[in-house]
Amino acid sequence: MFDILLNHNTLVLFGIIFFGIALGSIKIYGLNLGLSGVLFVALAAGHYRLAIPNGVGQLGLALFVYCVGLSAGNRFFSAIAKQGSKLAVMSAVIVGVSALFTCLCGIWFNVPAGISSGIFAGACTSTPALAAATESLPGASGSGVSIGYGIAYPFGVVGVVLFVQLLPRLLHFDLHKEARAMHAKQEASIISRLVRVNQPNLLGQNIADCKLLDGLHCMVTRVVRDGRLMPLTPEDTFREGTEVLIVGNSDTMPHGIAFLGEACENPYPMDSQKERRKLILTNKDYAGRKLRDLKTLRTDGVIISRISRLGFTFVPTGDTTLERNDVLTVVGSPENLTKYGEKIGHRSQDMNQTDLLSLGFGLSLGIILGLVNFSLGNGMGISLGIAGGPLIVALLLGHFGRLGPIVGYIPRPTRLLLQDLGLVFFLADAGIKGGADLVDTVATHGVAVFVMGIIVTCAGMFSGYFVGMKVFKMNILECLGGICGGMTSTPALGAIASKTDSQAPVVSYATAYPVALILMTIIAKVIIQTIGAVVGI
């Protein structure tokens, strides 16, 4: 009976996940492996020749990077503008140093070029680099690439996972504290303030039609009427001493107050439960229009004070374009809120539903993009692969909200579940493959090649840490995400993401990853030529 159970691949898969998560939950001096425990259990299972269903690893990787892209998309392009060059340099240094140490160790230990290039690909956990090296060395030499990859891959995965877990602890970084500090620095919190209007150019103007408010970057949501904060109506006008409530970011709030008049601290009651609701926009005819053109206060008697899109909440301006599945915080009378909800197609259950059609189409489009081979000249080419294609599509969806009929919205709990499920599937598959030939390859080729894999992995990680923290003065979360991207280590990203709610590591990973992917594919062939000229193929 026991043998029958062990030969049931699906049962083995979920058994590995169960015992891996159980192992990852064990804390030793406050340190635990988290979901990465699945990798260690899978390595042991692979050593004993257990198997899991084919294709699980690719399915898991596609799901994981797709959800990562959706999470990072709304900050990805702004991060490129602010730190893209730094993360690109960091990624290039990681790949360059790893390649340098591969060549030095390969020549020093007299390791053939095929095995050396495989060690480089395995230490950097880069399947595209493995494919490029194998393509350059067909036949028996190509099998050496796979052997080198099999030797270095387990430490490439495990080493980076342990590095991102241990480094913050050894350097006494509190990741939750760092996340709060970064959030406060990069993303101003949304606040509200009561303002007394006294600017002459505003007096007498109807609030609903006042074009001067378009550039305010704050939303006027309520007015004091009969000693109470009430929702605005289309008839309200600015008068000397009118007191209004404005909502905005903490960094833009001083400008908003100065533009309208002066801050005041008078306490006024308001009914926030009945006069403010969260409504989800599902009406496709209403989506895609700018807030300025909708004139919601004039036509519907409501004000949109906040918009939540893919988990990111912001205060809109007149130029903000509404997207389908936006969650709108709307202020108005109960009657107007009900009518407006019907107009935009609000259904409370939609806030917790996933558009499976968009999910399937988005993943399909990403996989197709990953299969496309982009020519680099001289007969060389590169494809984004199962990790790169879905990641790019998801980043675009996360940034724009939709691409034609494809909607990027997935409720946060569902997105996190799919992300974790994809990660454990990928880790189980990676561990099974890495553990299968680990002992045999080390016994056949000696300890030197294993040491070489350790050196190459460590060289890349520590060079990334030095450039990120010492040269560019990055936050530790950004640095760790950049190292994961530079080493193309999805499991390590999962390890650090499980330790913090901050999206900083995810954004850094998504920025550094494409640079590393391209460079590793090119440099794998350079390593073959360099070591081959000295040691041989």
Side-chain angles (χ1 to χ4, degrees):
M1 176 63 71
F2 189 68
D3 290 339
I4 293 175
L5 293 177
L6 290 180
N7 288 323
H8 196 291
N9 293 355
T10 304
L11 177 62
V12 171
L13 169 63
F14 285 100
I16 289 172
I17 292 172
F18 170 76
F19 287 109
I21 294 175
L23 174 65
S25 65
I26 298 174
K27 287 190 176 183
I28 301 176
Y29 297 107
L31 180 70
N32 68 302
L33 295 173
L35 294 180
S36 300
V38 174
L39 176 67
F40 291 89
V41 173
L43 285 170
H47 172 67
Y48 288 104
R49 298 297 190 268
L50 298 181
I52 61 176
N54 293 327
V56 164
Q58 287 193 332
L59 170 64
L61 183 58
L63 277 175
F64 179 78
V65 298
Y66 188 78
C67 292
V68 163
L70 291 180
S71 300
N74 51 29
R75 294 178 177 89
F76 174 69
F77 292 100
S78 61
I80 288 180
K82 294 178 181 177
Q83 288 194 300
S85 59
K86 293 181 180 179
L87 287 165
V89 170
M90 180 181 176
S91 189
V93 168
I94 290 173
V95 176
V97 170
S98 298
L100 174 62
F101 274 83
T102 299
C103 292
L104 292 176
C105 291
I107 295 172
W108 179 265
F109 293 127
N110 200 36
V111 178
I115 296 178
S116 294
S117 61
I119 289 175
F120 168 75
C124 297
T125 64
S126 176
T127 305
L130 170 66
T134 304
E135 182 184 25
S136 300
L137 293 172
S141 298
S143 66
V145 178
S146 299
I147 291 172
Y149 185 84
I151 292 171
Y153 183 82
F155 189 80
V157 174
V158 176
V160 185
V161 168
L162 291 177
F163 182 83
V164 299
Q165 294 250 30
L166 288 171
L167 184 67
R169 187 165 181 81
L170 293 175
L171 298 180
H172 304 292
F173 280 107
D174 184 336
L175 295 185
H176 294 294
K177 183 178 179 180
E178 294 292 328
R180 288 193 298 269
M182 170 170 279
H183 182 82
K185 181 180 179 181
Q186 292 186 343
E187 183 180 302
S189 58
I190 297 176
I191 58 176
S192 58
R193 290 288 184 270
L194 191 64
V195 180
R196 182 178 294 110
V197 178
N198 58 22
Q199 292 294 341
N201 58 335
L202 293 174
L203 301 182
Q205 293 208 34
N206 183 278
I207 298 178
D209 301 324
C210 184
K211 294 183 178 181
L212 294 175
L213 299 178
D214 286 348
L216 188 59
H217 298 290
C218 293
M219 296 298 294
V220 180
T221 62
R222 295 176 185 264
V223 62
V224 175
R225 192 183 303 116
D226 298 327
R228 181 174 172 270
L229 274 166
M230 301 285 289
L232 290 173
T233 67
E235 291 74 31
D236 285 317
T237 59
F238 287 121
R239 302 187 185 280
E240 181 73 35
T242 297
E243 293 178 343
V244 295
L245 186 73
I246 63 174
V247 177
N249 294 327
S250 57
D251 56 348
T252 61
M253 184 60 72
H255 170 72
I257 293 173
F259 182 85
L260 294 170
E262 59 183 2
C264 55
E265 303 295 336
N266 296 336
Y268 294 107
M270 66 177 177
D271 191 344
S272 59
Q273 283 191 324
K274 294 183 179 179
E275 297 170 349
R276 184 177 64 197
R277 293 183 193 172
K278 287 188 175 182
L279 305 175
I280 186 169
L281 171 60
T282 64
N283 185 346
K284 62 181 181 180
D285 296 327
Y286 201 82
R289 301 174 64 183
K290 288 187 177 183
L291 198 57
R292 175 186 296 110
D293 299 330
L294 295 174
K295 298 183 181 298
T296 57
L297 180 56
R298 171 62 61 191
T299 59
D300 304 293
V302 298
I303 287 287
I304 299 173
S305 64
R306 296 174 178 86
I307 296 177
S308 293
R309 182 177 297 164
L310 296 171
F312 178 61
T313 301
F314 59 94
V315 176
T317 67
D319 291 322
T320 299
T321 300
L322 298 184
E323 298 290 350
R324 193 175 179 185
N325 292 313
D326 279 349
V327 179
L328 313 178
T329 300
V330 187
V331 178
S333 67
E335 297 79 12
N336 288 340
L337 290 175
T338 300
K339 293 178 182 178
Y340 188 69
E342 294 173 353
K343 181 176 182 178
I344 66 174
H346 168 73
R347 290 179 297 176
S348 58
Q349 64 269 25
D350 285 339
M351 297 182 71
N352 298 312
Q353 286 185 345
T354 300
D355 187 343
L356 290 177
L357 185 65
S358 291
L359 175 63
F361 196 88
L363 280 168
S364 300
L365 185 62
I367 293 170
I368 293 172
L369 177 62
L371 295 174
V372 176
N373 189 62
F374 298 94
S375 176
L376 299 176
N378 298 323
M380 299 174 61
I382 182 175
S383 59
L384 296 174
I386 200 71
L391 178 64
I392 296 300
V393 170
L395 285 171
L396 292 173
L397 278 172
H399 179 71
F400 293 107
R402 64 184 299 122
L403 293 175
I406 313 173
V407 178
Y409 174 74
I410 297 178
R412 187 173 185 272
T414 306
R415 190 175 72 244
L416 293 178
L417 174 63
L418 291 175
Q419 182 173 308
D420 287 349
L421 184 65
L423 179 60
V424 295
F425 278 1
F426 173 71
L427 291 175
D429 184 72
I432 286 286
K433 292 177 179 177
D437 300 318
L438 178 61
V439 175
D440 292 340
T441 50
V442 172
T444 302
H445 297 278
V447 178
V449 288
F450 190 71
V451 172
M452 181 176 170
I454 295 174
I455 292 174
V456 173
T457 302
C458 290
M461 292 188 301
F462 282 103
S463 64
Y465 167 76
F466 177 80
V467 171
M469 296 292 291
K470 304 301 181 182
V471 177
F472 292 134
K473 309 295 183 184
M474 291 182 179
N475 178 280
I476 184 66
L477 293 170
E478 292 175 321
C479 182
L480 292 176
I483 291 172
C484 293
M487 298 293 292
T488 66
S489 179
T490 305
L493 175 65
I496 191 62
S498 67
K499 297 292 184 181
T500 175
D501 292 332
S502 173
Q503 292 299 315
V506 173
V507 174
S508 296
Y509 168 90
T511 307
Y513 175 88
V515 178
L517 182 76
I518 295 171
L519 290 178
M520 286 178 184
T521 306
I522 298 172
I523 289 178
K525 298 185 178 184
V526 175
I527 290 173
I528 291 175
Q529 296 175 356
T530 303
I531 299 180
V534 179
V535 177
I537 299 298

